[in-house]
Structures are given as C-alpha cells and as structure tokens.
Amino acid sequence: MQTVFNLSKQGGAQPVQMVVQARIIKHLLFNQEAGSDRRTLRSLTEVGQVDQERALAAALSDSLWLAGQEETATVTLVTKDYCITPHLDYKLDNFTEKLQLFTFTKEEDVRRFILHHIQCSDLSPPTSV
C-alpha cells in the first residue's frame, strides 16, 4: 500500500525540515500583529529578512517546546572551543566536545534565545546578491 504523505522514504533530516517549514508558513500566515494585513500564500514571497528570522525562531522554539512536553526545551550550539574537560579514558572526536547545551523552562525564553543566535549559525535564509 502506497501512502501519499509517507515521510519515511526521504530519510535523514528532510522530514524534520519539512515540519519546520510548515511551522514557518503557519506562523507567517496566522500569527499576525493586531492591525496588520493578513498574509496570503502569494504574499509569502515578499516577507522581509526580519520577519523570516522571527518566523524561523518561532517555528524552532515551538517544536522544541512541544518536544519537551511544554515544560522544558534544550538548544544545542556548536562553539569554537571545547565546552568540556574530557576524562582520561574519553576519546576526542573534535565535535562533541564543542557542543554547548542551553535548557529553558519558559517558552518565550527559548524563542528569544534562538532569535538572538540565528545570526550565529547557518539557520538564517541566504541573502540575495
């Protein structure tokens, strides 16, 4: 039996990216400030950089907050320097040691943190030349 919405065939990170993209579109279409015009699917092509970043931060923070059962969310950033002091029997892989975890107990704090750090990563959409 073939299903139309089978995400498992894609594998890898693609299903997660699809969920984030859907949440971004949902945020842009339905979470408008009071007094602003309602967006349509066509108008999404005209969304500015700041609104794109806010929508991405909202989509990621919403997903992480739900994954933490609406009680906690953890964000991981990759740093340049080691964040841990490895034990003698620990084998360095030069990646895990650079991961820094940030845990939040308020959803708005997660959103603000992600929005603040979007410029520090490859999360932001490419700028046009």
Side-chain angles (χ1 to χ4, degrees):
M1 175 181 208
Q2 185 177 7
T3 59
V4 177
F5 299 106
N6 186 358
L7 299 178
S8 64
K9 287 185 177 182
Q10 304 300 322
Q14 190 170 11
V16 175
Q17 290 172 335
M18 293 170 69
V19 169
V20 172
Q21 288 172 342
R23 287 185 179 274
I24 289 170
I25 293 170
K26 174 186 159 195
H27 179 80
L28 290 172
L29 288 175
F30 301 113
N31 294 359
Q32 297 297 311
E33 295 180 16
S36 64
D37 292 334
R38 187 155 219 64
R39 288 197 174 107
T40 64
L41 283 175
R42 280 183 204 249
S43 69
L44 291 181
T45 60
E46 301 165 359
V47 174
Q49 181 75 20
V50 171
D51 286 337
Q52 289 179 35
E53 290 175 358
R54 286 184 183 150
L56 177 59
L60 292 173
S61 63
D62 289 348
S63 297
L64 292 171
W65 191 248
L66 288 172
Q69 299 179 349
E70 299 180 342
E71 294 179 5
T72 184
T74 301
V75 178
T76 305
L77 296 180
V78 180
T79 63
K80 292 179 182 178
D81 299 320
Y82 287 177
C83 295
I84 63 166
T85 304
H87 298 290
L88 293 175
D89 58 347
Y90 179 79
K91 183 178 178 184
L92 297 174
D93 64 11
N94 292 320
F95 177 73
T96 307
E97 301 82 16
K98 297 178 182 183
L99 298 178
Q100 190 168 5
L101 304 178
F102 300 88
T103 302
F104 302 92
T105 56
K106 294 180 183 173
E107 184 178 10
E108 187 56 35
D109 291 343
V110 180
R111 188 173 314 226
R112 276 192 294 247
F113 180 84
I114 291 173
L115 185 58
H116 178 76
H117 288 88
I118 281 178
Q119 295 299 326
C120 300
S121 68
D122 292 332
L123 294 177
S124 59
T127 56
S128 57
V129 179

